[in-house]
Every structure is written in structure tokens, then in C-alpha cells.
Amino acid sequence: MADRPCLMTIHAHPDDEASKGSATVARYTDQGARAVLVCCTGGEEGDILNPALDRPEIRADLVEVRRRELAEATRIIGYDATHLLGYRDSGMPDSEANARSDAFANADIDEAVGRLVRIIRAERPHVIVTYSDNQLGYLHPDHLRVYDVTAPAWEKAGDPEAYPEAGEPWTPSKLYFTTWSKTRVVATHQKFGELGLESPYDDDWFEREWDDHRITTRVEIGPWYDRRVGALRAHATQVDPASPFWFGLPDDVARGVYPFDDYILADSRVPTTTPEDDLFAGIGGLEPLAAVEAVLTR
């Protein structure tokens, strides 16, 4: 394990790992990296968005259902390990769930950071991907908390005086924020129009704040698009298979509309030059991308 480059992604709920950067993870596992997921909550407050599964027995067992969905999605993506940070889904602001003492939003920061530091030290990632310091209007308490916990854990994981009970210090090399670009949304919206299909992107999408000016890194993911779709479909309670937002374009078209995942390089402890096209730039140790793509397209 120590000889393989390691990518760790930190997400709020089951299904976030599928919708945010899953094709990137699939690409890097095919290139020989080890991939580790940290899921901070159990997703207890998730809505059942697939009408076919909105049944009493599913609702009664939703926590276990979502764990099984997560296991299948991570298998499809190619994750080597999944860690549950152990907090409850906080729900949306001002909801009943948001007031619970066991909600992630109400977690003691020092304790939560310590839990994450322990995982970082055990898994020894070179690259960590998490949520941005700017949530751009999507103020889900758990997404905000992911950043609040990851930022200090990034700093403390390599400090031998911090959390000495959490294992041998490990200093990750690069920290990224995952983000969706306006460029991606515009390209997808335009493709719907070209095909005479109704776009799921209304005017609100184009009036919101975007972080395109902060993007430093675009990772090519076209050959891994199908793994992303498979992972999304694995979250069958949370992702409606008839959703035009996720599946409105034919797969062969959607694969090429914007074949990139976008990231903001938040910090680096190794020399690198932006713009980048590789999260492991400055670290290395991966199979050449061209060789992997050649195998995938045979």
C-alpha cells in the first residue's frame, strides 16, 4: 500500500462520491492509484427520489439501504477502502434533524478532526479532495462541515504534537476542492438544445455565483464516464433513473460534451505549475494515461 500513490476523497453523504469526481477516481484507480473514500454521514435524511422505490419497507430500512448502495457504487468506481466518519445526516437548515445532537453539523470540531486525522494517518493519502471553502449558495450543513473538518485535518495530520493518539503522523502532498464549472453547465445546456431536448438547467443556473476563475485543474475523464453513470444508478433510492438532470442526454453524447472534472488546487506541498491536468502532478508514480486509455479502448 505504501508504494502506491493514494487519493482520498471526503464527502458528506452516500451518493456524493458518485456525483462529484467519481470518473476521476475511476481513472486514477485504473492508472494504479489506491483510492479511499471518507463518507461523513449515513445519509439518513435523504429523500427517496426514485418513485419505484418509495415504499414503506425501503423507508423503514433506509440507512442500511443507503449503505448497500454506497458499497455497490464504490465497487463500480474502484475505491479500495471506505471509511464512515460516524455522524448522522444533519438535514437541511432549520429542520428537525439539524437540531439533533448526533448530527454532523453539531459535531465537536476537535473530535471530528481527530477522527479524520486518524483515517488520514492510517491510509496515508498523497492527494486529498474535499469541498470548497465557498459553497456557492448550496448551504447544506453537512457540506459546510466537511470543509470545516477537512481543512484543519489537512494541517494537523502531519503534526506529531497534534492528536498523538491517532497514529503516526502523515503529511499529504496536495489538497483540492471539487467543483462544477459554469463551462460544463453551459456546454451541457447547449447540447440539450442542439438535440431538441428540454434542458434541466433553468435561468437560475446561469445567474448563480460560479468559481470558474478559481479552477486550476481539469482532469480528462471521458473514458471513465460509464463508471460515473453506473455509480449514480447504484444509488437507486437517491437518483431517479428517469432524471433528465443526470440522464437526459444519451450516454454516447453526454460522454463527450464536457469530458473533464474540475478542481481548485487549495494547497500543495510539492512543486507544481497551474493550470494542471493531473491531480498527481508533482507526485507521479502512476501508469501513463495513454497506456491505460489504449487498454480501455481495445
Side-chain angles (χ1 to χ4, degrees):
M1 183 177 76
D3 295 334
R4 294 172 63 191
C6 182
L7 169 65
M8 175 179 284
T9 67
I10 304 171
H11 289 286
H13 312 104
D15 74 55
D16 287 326
E17 87 297 330
S19 61
K20 302 170 184 65
S22 54
T24 295
V25 177
R27 165 185 160 165
Y28 284 124
T29 59
D30 281 359
Q31 286 187 257
R34 176 175 168 80
V36 177
L37 168 66
V38 178
C39 187
C40 294
T41 81
E44 295 85 353
E45 295 300 314
D47 294 322
I48 298 179
L49 300 177
N50 181 350
L53 295 179
D54 194 359
R55 306 193 302 265
E57 68 273 20
I58 298 291
R59 288 193 171 278
D61 196 32
L62 187 58
V63 174
E64 288 305 315
V65 169
R66 295 204 71 183
R67 286 196 181 190
R68 292 195 293 270
E69 291 175 346
L70 178 64
E72 176 61 8
T74 55
R75 182 195 67 78
I76 291 168
I77 295 166
Y79 278 102
D80 294 275
T82 297
H83 296 268
L84 302 179
L85 201 60
Y87 294 99
R88 194 183 190 283
D89 189 331
S90 305
M92 296 304 289
D94 301 322
S95 66
E96 183 177 334
N98 197 228
R100 292 178 58 121
S101 61
D102 56 351
F104 188 37
N106 299 320
D108 179 85
I109 287 289
D110 186 63
E111 178 191 24
V113 172
R115 292 187 191 187
L116 183 53
V117 164
R118 184 180 295 276
I119 296 170
I120 292 172
R121 289 176 178 175
E123 295 290 359
R124 302 167 71 86
H126 300 85
V127 175
I128 292 178
V129 175
T130 192
Y131 299 162
S132 173
D133 52 351
N134 182 359
Q135 295 293 305
L136 300 173
Y138 184 62
L139 301 179
H140 193 297
D142 291 329
H143 286 242
L144 299 174
R145 205 58 151 183
V146 167
Y147 170 79
D148 292 341
V149 171
T150 306
W154 158 263
E155 296 292 344
K156 299 294 186 181
D159 181 355
E161 296 184 2
Y163 306 100
E165 74 288 352
E168 182 179 352
W170 172 258
T171 303
S173 298
K174 301 177 84 175
L175 176 69
Y176 286 93
F177 299 150
T178 182
T179 188
W180 275 32
S181 67
K182 183 176 183 179
T183 305
R184 172 182 182 169
V185 171
V186 168
T188 306
H189 175 71
Q190 290 176 343
K191 184 57 69 174
F192 273 96
E194 289 172 14
L195 297 180
L197 301 172
E198 183 178 355
S199 172
Y201 299 103
D202 58 23
D203 290 343
D204 289 344
W205 279 90
F206 304 101
E207 294 169 1
R208 63 183 285 187
E209 180 185 354
W210 293 91
D211 251 356
D212 286 45
H213 62 288
R214 299 179 66 196
I215 291 171
T216 59
T217 312
R218 284 194 166 97
V219 177
E220 181 185 351
I221 49 84
W224 294 271
Y225 174 81
D226 291 347
R227 299 258 284 279
R228 175 180 183 267
V229 170
L232 284 168
R233 292 188 184 278
H235 288 284
T237 59
Q238 305 299 301
V239 179
D240 183 350
S243 166
F245 182 84
W246 296 116
F247 310 118
L249 293 175
D251 285 353
D252 59 337
V253 173
R255 184 181 297 108
V257 170
Y258 188 79
F260 305 99
D261 281 336
D262 296 303
Y263 299 90
I264 298 165
L265 178 61
D267 200 0
S268 179
R269 296 174 172 130
V270 295
T272 188
T273 301
T274 58
E276 304 172 311
D277 60 6
D278 182 5
L279 301 185
F280 285 88
I283 299 170
L286 297 171
E287 290 292 325
L289 178 59
V292 174
E293 287 182 305
V295 171
L296 292 173
T297 54
R298 281 178 187 169

